[in-house]
Amino acid sequence: MAENLYKHPEPVPPASQLAVLPFLAAVDGYLREEGDVPGLRITMHRAVSREGDGYLQQVCAYLEESGVNANGTVGRFFPVNDRIMGAAYGSGTIWRTHHYDSVEALHADLHDTEKGDLSKIPVSYLAIPFLGPQDQVVLILYADCNQLNFFADDERVSRLAAMSNGLCRLFDWLQRDPFPALRNFPLQKGEPITGKTGLYNIHEALPNLAAPKFAEVFSFNYEAAIA
């Protein structure tokens, strides 16, 4: 079921996409502060329910150096244990690729997990879960790039977590005092669906860095509303 949903994305309300894209643009700007980051791409996923089943769904296109690259990615569904996103979902903890002395060392660890062309696989990953009031995962910020140890920088990840907390405060305020023609319509909770895609063994959790947390937001589904 999850595989079919991956191949056949379902629409995400434009308001939900527009709600996160400016934030991702700010994240992109910060990450490129010192120059280009090869292969950097950033997106957001949300926890959704479909016919009673729970998945992760890509909220918006990848933000890349050339701009927004939709390329059929918006609305894709993933099982909740999908690699580093799944680790962030299951633990409610920030995950990243840990430090390596060389790309060769990273590829050696990847060899047993990934059978394809390793040169085409990013070498740095990051997943930041956004937790709801009951510690459920509402959103996951996902990023990857081809620069070794890019997310192994503690200060960089800490600043991204701080930016994410700012986004939580903004949407908490909008939840209490929404715009007249915009509402965050609640999503039902589904039974989490897992798949065969497990976690690469090149990643690590950051239990000492708290994940960003909403005080008011239980799910993420912004749509235009009748004023």
Side-chain angles (χ1 to χ4, degrees), residues 11 14 19 21-22 37-38 44 53 57 73 75 83 89 92-93 103 121 130 144 148 169 174-175 178 193 204 219:
L21 279 170
V37 182
M44 194 78 82
D53 295 329
Q57 185 186 31
T73 58
R83 288 168 286 191
Y89 177 91
T93 303
V103 173
I121 297 175
F130 290 65
D144 62 34
L148 187 66
R169 289 190 292 271
L174 288 174
Q175 195 78 2
I193 297 300
E204 64 181 1
S219 60

Side-chain angles (χ1 to χ4, degrees), residues 125-142:
Y125 297 80
L126 178 70
I128 298 180
F130 290 65
L131 307 182
Q134 298 175 350
D135 290 333
Q136 76 278 24
V137 173
V138 176
L139 295 169
I140 298 177
L141 170 66
Y142 172 87

Side-chain angles (χ1 to χ4, degrees), residues 9 17-18 28 45 50 57 60 63 70 93 97 109 113-114 135 152 161 164 170 174 181 183 197:
Q17 298 185 51
L18 288 171
D28 180 84
H45 296 80
R50 186 183 187 278
Q57 185 186 31
C60 64
L63 201 63
T93 303
T97 306
D109 280 352
T113 308
E114 182 58 58
D135 290 333
S164 299
L170 169 63
L174 288 174
R183 291 288 188 278
T197 49

Side-chain angles (χ1 to χ4, degrees), residues 88-164:
Y89 177 91
S91 65
T93 303
I94 297 171
W95 280 74
R96 69 178 178 188
T97 306
H98 64 74
H99 183 274
Y100 277 92
D101 291 333
S102 67
V103 173
E104 289 75 19
L106 183 147
H107 282 173
D109 280 352
L110 267 179
H111 189 267
D112 292 336
T113 308
E114 182 58 58
K115 304 302 182 183
D117 185 353
L118 298 183
S119 67
K120 296 181 179 180
I121 297 175
V123 297
S124 293
Y125 297 80
L126 178 70
I128 298 180
F130 290 65
L131 307 182
Q134 298 175 350
D135 290 333
Q136 76 278 24
V137 173
V138 176
L139 295 169
I140 298 177
L141 170 66
Y142 172 87
D144 62 34
C145 71
N146 296 321
Q147 183 168 315
L148 187 66
N149 297 325
F150 188 69
F151 296 116
D153 185 315
D154 289 341
E155 182 178 358
R156 176 172 290 135
V157 177
S158 294
R159 288 186 176 181
L160 289 176
M163 294 172 68
S164 299

